[in-house]
Amino acid sequence: MSNNTDRAAYGFATRAVHVGNEIDKDSGAIKRPITMGNSYALPYDPTDVNWSSASGNLYTRNGGTNQKYLQERIASLEGGEDCVVLASGVAALSGLFFALLNQGDHVIFSSVTYIAVYRLLNELFNNKFGVETTIVDTSDPANVEAAIRPNTKLIHIETPGNPTLTISDIAAIADIAHRHGALLSVDNTFASPFNQRPIELGADFAVESLTKYINGHGDSMGGAIVGKTEYLDQIRAQSQVNLGGAISPFNAWLIMRGSVTLPLRMRQHNENAMQVARWLEAQPGVRFVAYPGLESHRGHEVAKKQMSPGFGGVLSFGLNADHDTHNRFVSYLKVITSAVSLGHDESLIVFLGENDERQYLYPEEFHKGFFRFSVGIEDAEDIIEDLRQALEQVGLL
């Protein structure tokens, strides 16, 4: 099962184990080894070699063996034709934008996105390269349609959105994009391909921070772009080879190893997050809970349509309390760790205060400060007990 074309014959978990992996011909090892060399042997006459090619093993910035194996697996899990793996999720996002966009192009992007997307499209590409951008609440496809211009090249959405868990209808927005001759990219990091596959819903590109759920262990960094080879070849040549966003062999190997357990971990993340969200929603000291699996979530019906079998492991919530009480609540947690990132095996929480530069784009309930909570794979009862005792310590229970 070394090629992603085998994906149709096998289930998700089988592909997570086997695609990109074969018996090593040199050692007989049944797992791919780490190839740490940064340079590969040249042919007898190297004068015809394209030194900027990413098509073969030449120099690790052009691509390496561990990267190739990981690309095969991610393309298969996402249901896409091809994949480029880069050094981080932000490298993948910026690599996609850099390769696709030219001066004078127009981009529509979600009002709730990862902070790097907000800065790349709202500031850097706009100010440095003359790319026009429009921020839109993409939870309503009509807003996207209304923002289309003759020069719209790309629509970029994030669903569920970071950090408010906003849901956008991928199929509906893909239809709008393609009717107007634009492309659609979807940041799928919060869902992972286990819960949602944007390519199968009509998107042109699925972008993943491999650092998060696909690796799942908080010990490596990487990013992936999945789509058609004609576009991915451009990204390889421009963003990987010429900008140097290549992933290290060791990180590619770690993510390959972590991805094997993605379906097992995601089932637990999904189940735990749902239990925790329901428990939090029932607490009088909790001001709001945002989780697409809850019937109270504005995007619940759309999420049910495009996410299966679960709604991911991230939720947001706020307390009926002032700024300092939110911080004191975190200080009392014992199982849950106060740290950035998400998708790790352990539960992570971060307090986002009232001074976030994107606050004006968030729904009203987020304006008094809130937590982004990445629910881990610990026993749900222990996570809930940790939340309960911290609420009690700050006088909200």
Side-chain angles (χ1 to χ4, degrees):
M1 292 185 66
S2 63
N3 191 287
N4 63 33
T5 56
D6 294 319
R7 63 178 178 264
Y10 295 95
F12 189 95
T14 303
R15 287 181 281 121
V17 173
H18 290 284
V19 172
N21 188 59
E22 283 187 343
I23 295 172
D24 180 57
K25 292 182 174 63
D26 290 333
S27 66
I30 64 170
K31 289 290 183 185
R32 298 283 197 184
I34 308 171
T35 304
M36 290 297 291
N38 63 16
S39 189
Y40 294 81
L42 294 170
Y44 171 75
D45 182 359
T47 57
D48 291 331
V49 170
N50 178 356
W51 305 111
S52 295
S53 173
S55 62
N57 289 337
L58 174 67
Y59 183 58
T60 300
R61 177 166 53 81
N62 299 55
T65 53
N66 293 103
Q67 176 187 357
K68 174 178 174 289
Y69 306 146
L70 180 58
Q71 287 172 168
E72 290 176 1
R73 180 166 295 174
I74 301 304
S76 177
L77 297 182
E78 291 280 359
E81 181 179 297
D82 199 357
C83 175
V84 172
V85 170
L86 298 173
S88 68
V90 173
L93 289 162
S94 58
L96 173 70
F97 302 150
F98 183 84
L100 285 184
L101 300 175
N102 296 305
Q103 186 176 13
D105 286 340
H106 175 237
V107 181
I108 298 166
F109 69 101
S110 295
S111 55
V112 175
T113 58
Y114 187 55
I115 185 65
V117 173
Y118 177 79
R119 290 178 180 151
L120 283 167
L121 294 179
N122 194 47
E123 298 171 13
L124 297 180
F125 275 79
N126 193 308
N127 296 332
K128 287 180 176 288
F129 305 120
V131 173
E132 300 172 18
T133 60
T134 302
I135 302 174
V136 163
D137 177 2
T138 58
S139 64
D140 184 350
N143 295 335
V144 178
E145 183 99 49
I148 292 281
R149 300 177 187 173
N151 60 334
T152 301
K153 177 72 172 291
L154 178 71
I155 299 169
H156 177 77
I157 66 174
E158 186 175 307
T159 184
N162 183 5
T164 67
L165 284 299
T166 304
I167 298 296
S168 300
D169 190 326
I170 297 170
I173 297 173
D175 179 66
I176 292 168
H178 298 153
R179 280 194 285 106
H180 292 277
L183 298 166
L184 173 64
S185 59
V186 179
D187 189 325
N188 198 45
T189 299
F190 266 38
S192 90
F194 182 75
N195 288 323
Q196 181 173 269
R197 287 175 291 282
I199 301 289
E200 295 176 1
L201 293 165
D204 298 286
F205 305 98
V207 183
E208 295 278 357
S209 173
L210 301 174
T211 310
K212 311 303 193 298
Y213 285 113
I214 291 176
N215 174 56
H217 293 77
D219 57 8
S220 63
M221 296 188 74
I225 310 155
V226 179
K228 287 190 164 73
T229 302
E230 62 179 296
Y231 294 113
L232 274 290
D233 281 346
Q234 294 177 44
I235 297 167
R236 284 188 184 93
Q238 296 182 34
S239 302
Q240 178 177 297
V241 179
N242 292 323
L243 288 183
I247 193 170
S248 76
F250 187 47
N251 276 341
W253 184 86
L254 282 172
I255 295 167
M256 187 82 164
R257 183 181 66 167
S259 67
V260 170
T261 59
L262 174 66
L264 302 176
R265 290 183 284 103
M266 288 311 304
R267 290 189 190 100
Q268 191 70 22
H269 284 299
N270 290 342
E271 182 181 328
N272 282 0
M274 182 64 82
Q275 288 189 52
V276 169
R278 291 199 188 284
W279 184 86
L280 283 169
E281 196 173 42
Q283 306 311 305
V286 174
R287 181 163 38 92
F288 77 94
V289 181
Y291 182 65
L294 294 175
E295 292 80 1
S296 58
H297 192 280
R298 295 183 186 95
H300 178 65
E301 291 304 316
V302 174
K304 277 202 309 182
K305 180 179 70 172
Q306 65 190 23
M307 299 181 75
S308 178
F311 301 95
V314 182
L315 57 89
S316 291
F317 70 99
L319 304 179
N320 285 312
D322 60 15
H323 184 102
D324 185 61
T325 302
H326 281 81
N327 283 319
R328 287 195 299 114
F329 170 82
V330 172
S331 73
Y332 290 121
L333 294 170
K334 300 173 182 178
V335 173
I336 302 161
T337 302
S338 176
V340 296
S341 202
L342 57 102
H344 295 198
D345 41 16
E346 75 269 39
S347 293
L348 303 174
I349 197 166
V350 58
F351 176 47
L352 299 170
E354 305 87 340
N355 59 348
D356 190 300
E357 65 189 272
R358 299 166 297 164
Q359 193 75 242
Y360 73 100
L361 297 169
Y362 296 164
E364 181 67 29
E365 62 266 27
F366 290 83
H367 291 186
K368 296 179 181 178
F370 64 96
F371 300 113
R372 189 189 70 183
F373 183 21
S374 174
V375 182
I377 60 173
E378 304 96 339
D379 291 315
E381 295 80 7
D382 291 332
I383 298 171
I384 290 171
E385 172 56 25
D386 200 28
L387 294 166
R388 189 204 63 76
Q389 64 83 24
L391 285 173
E392 187 174 55
Q393 294 265 32
V394 298
L396 292 176
L397 195 67

